[in-house]
Amino acid sequence: MNRPPGMMDVAREAGVSHITVSRVINGHPSVRPETRTRVEAAIQKLGYRRNSVARALKSRRSSTIGVVIVGSDLFELPRILLGVETAAKEAGYWVSLASRQGESTTGDLMETLQRLTDQSVEAIAVVADRPDAVEALSRLAIGVPVAVVMSGSVANPDLGFVEVDQELGARLAVRHLLDLGHRHIAHLTGALRTFDARARVDGWQAELAEAGAGAGAEGALLEGDFSAESGFRLAHELCAGDTRLPTAVFAGNDQMAMGALAAFAERGVKVPRDVSVVGFDDMKGAGYLVPALTTVRQDFTHLGSSAIELLVDMLGGEPPQRRRLTPRLVVRRSTAVPRTDS
């Protein structure tokens, strides 16, 4: 081995998970005695314990992970934090929260991160939906492991990334509509300053392009802001336009899809007879809209727990990684084959 042994090495030697190793190191009471003995034997064999303890004594470790929330409109933040707190507790860590509202400059982020490092946090998860926040992070020397949650990556080998594959999710939605026979698929986007909205546009465009011009696949793009109000407004624009109403709409998220359903109902447009609608997120209650919404499910709790797992790996000596979680299409009653006059 050309590097000091890490937590993953101990886990492999003991035949347990890295979370179990972390619990043993942090004195967590939930570890069975025989498992603790096996892990401690692996630590002694590999020499990991001596190095880890030396670092702990020098740094006065706090057993705390910092979480920075950048922005005020992050969808399903409570479920992300549930995953963060649950996984941190299982690994023997507490969580310290901080936030930056509105547009954050490099100086703003540095101040927030400095506040956390002054508390001796051992690692930091940054929950952000805007690439500019990640670009600001890439210019900072933070001194502890950092994992970015939700937003796209930048070229910085010191940062870890955990995200749901937004482009794949968009492609799943559009592929579902194409398979039903739709060729005119409009996309109502979220705010294009955000990573998620831009990635979903990329997926929509890529899937239409793969369908091929020969198949007649096309679609209009209208920008909203992820709110139900913007979905309502943009759907009205589609109905009032000079061109024919598309046979399908891929909304930037479920909130926008909900607004679009209300607008179509006002216009007398039947879903899915006249137009099919697909959302994104699978928000709570999406299955009880009228009609029940076909959408792309993101597991936000898993997203949060995966961020902590990545940080624990980095604390154990593993290099930063980019981890992409796979979304899943949930088919309900808001999609069907296109109308016959299309």
Side-chain angles (χ1 to χ4, degrees):
M1 186 181 296
N2 296 322
R3 58 174 174 76
M7 193 177 295
M8 294 299 291
D9 301 312
V10 175
R12 282 190 290 268
E13 177 68 25
V16 299
S17 70
H18 63 280
I19 295 294
T20 300
V21 175
S22 176
R23 289 173 178 169
V24 171
I25 292 172
N26 289 289
H28 200 281
S30 66
V31 182
R32 291 183 299 178
E34 59 268 29
T35 302
R36 185 182 302 277
T37 299
R38 195 161 72 249
V39 171
E40 288 174 347
I43 288 173
Q44 183 175 5
K45 177 181 177 180
L46 297 176
Y48 174 77
R49 183 178 178 84
R50 289 193 299 274
N51 294 335
S52 177
V53 170
R55 285 197 301 272
L57 290 174
K58 181 181 288 187
S59 64
R60 296 179 182 178
R61 57 174 299 178
S62 63
S63 295
T64 302
I65 291 176
V67 178
V68 178
I69 302 164
V70 181
S72 57
D73 298 319
L74 294 169
F75 183 77
E76 291 291 3
L77 183 59
R79 285 162 64 184
I80 296 174
L81 293 179
L82 174 63
V84 164
E85 291 186 319
T86 301
K89 183 177 180 180
E90 289 179 352
Y93 289 89
W94 297 100
V95 171
S96 179
L97 288 173
S99 67
R100 297 300 311 186
Q101 304 300 318
E103 300 293 334
S104 293
T105 66
T106 301
D108 292 333
L109 277 175
M110 189 68 243
E111 178 185 350
T112 303
L113 295 168
Q114 185 65 55
R115 187 151 31 105
L116 287 172
T117 55
D118 286 347
Q119 299 173 19
S120 300
V121 298
E122 297 184 41
I124 297 174
V126 179
V127 184
D129 66 349
R130 302 179 184 181
D132 54 357
V134 186
E135 290 164 4
L137 278 175
S138 70
R139 297 189 291 271
L140 300 176
I142 301 168
V144 298
V146 175
V148 179
V149 187
M150 290 184 68
S151 199
S153 67
V154 294
N156 187 330
D158 296 326
L159 296 177
F161 295 88
V162 180
E163 60 184 328
V164 176
D165 193 332
Q166 303 295 325
E167 183 173 343
L168 173 60
R171 295 187 71 136
L172 291 173
V174 177
R175 172 50 53 190
H176 168 65
L177 294 169
L178 289 169
D179 287 345
L180 286 171
H182 295 277
R183 291 298 178 265
H184 189 186
I185 303 169
H187 182 27
L188 313 183
T189 82
L192 292 178
R193 69 178 180 275
T194 66
F195 168 76
D196 287 0
R198 285 157 50 175
R200 291 171 198 175
V201 168
D202 290 343
W204 168 75
Q205 290 176 329
E207 202 63 36
L208 286 181
E210 282 193 12
E218 60 177 340
L221 184 148
L222 293 83
E223 182 180 358
D225 59 11
F226 284 130
S227 69
E229 291 81 2
S230 70
F232 182 82
R233 171 177 54 82
L234 295 177
H236 268 294
E237 288 182 18
L238 286 176
C239 294
D242 296 331
T243 59
R244 183 180 57 181
L245 183 71
T247 65
V249 168
F250 168 40
N253 69 350
D254 290 349
Q255 292 282 341
M256 294 187 72
M258 181 169 63
L261 290 175
F264 289 142
E266 279 195 3
R267 290 277 183 165
V269 175
K270 302 296 184 181
V271 178
R273 187 194 69 184
D274 300 324
V275 59
S276 288
V277 176
V278 180
F280 205 110
D281 289 331
D282 196 23
M283 69 180 187
K284 188 174 182 180
Y288 296 95
L289 296 173
V290 180
L293 184 64
T294 294
T295 186
V296 177
R297 177 174 296 167
Q298 302 192 78
D299 189 338
F300 292 101
T301 304
H302 186 206
L303 182 67
S305 63
S306 295
I308 296 301
E309 291 168 5
L310 175 57
L311 287 172
V312 170
D313 287 349
M314 293 168 68
L315 285 166
E318 296 297 310
Q321 298 177 13
R322 182 179 186 181
R323 297 181 180 177
R324 279 187 164 180
L325 309 183
T326 301
R328 182 168 70 87
L329 180 71
V330 179
V331 179
R332 298 192 178 105
R333 298 177 64 86
S334 66
T335 52
V337 296
R339 58 184 183 265
T340 56
D341 63 344
S342 61

